[in-house]
Amino acid sequence: MFTQPLSTVAIATAMVIGLAGCSLIEPPPEAPLTGIAACTLGKTWNLDTGKLAEALTAELASQKVTAVVAVDGHETLAWDLTGKVTVDTDYTITSTSGAEGQQTVVTGKHSGKSTGIAYINAEVAIPRNWDASGLTVTTKATLNGADLEQLPYELVNTELDDSVGVELTCDGGTLTTHQRGSDIILTWSSK
């Protein structure tokens, strides 16, 4: 027969549980970043607008449009160590085509902020929860300075989003991003 009072057993059990909470439990250290993730995360990247202009010129040529493309302004991509991405955009693409006296100018103004998460798996970023509600893209065209109601050709999308994975290369000072299915490769340099 059990002769020890129940309250003594309860106190002893409570002391064991209480003392267990006093021990220091250290979480295991986080694994260090490697590969593309180590090269890319924790940095702010600046878009190379000159290379973007070259890529857009080549893209228009593939559509049989001969144009001179300029990109003025800037865009930064801040990618923190947790995968959070913030893209601050303020640039204008100007595409000029046609002979003197018949010049068509297509202008695309990109401004605002986009945010999301992009996890890196090997050489691909997988964007999620993209919010581009703060980003505005407006495009207009003129012929000899007069506004056109319809665009003679579309400027290809240059903005990052979460519709597809983004292929990455990184060498420490230079990052490239290529959304799958697009012909445009964006080149970035670290700040």
Side-chain angles (χ1 to χ4, degrees), residues 5 31 41 51 97 105 110-111 116 124 185 190:
L41 299 179
K51 288 192 177 181
S97 59
V105 178
H110 300 238
S111 61
V124 177
I185 295 174
S190 62

Side-chain angles (χ1 to χ4, degrees), residues 38-53:
C39 183
T40 305
L41 299 179
K43 296 180 182 174
T44 297
W45 298 92
N46 294 305
L47 180 65
D48 185 329
T49 55
K51 288 192 177 181
L52 176 57

Side-chain angles (χ1 to χ4, degrees), residues 47-58 69 71 75 91 93 156 158 184-187:
L47 180 65
D48 185 329
T49 55
K51 288 192 177 181
L52 176 57
E54 291 171 11
L56 291 171
T57 299
V69 178
V71 180
E75 181 170 71
Y91 66 84
I93 300 168
V156 68
T158 57
I184 300 296
I185 295 174
L186 301 178
T187 301

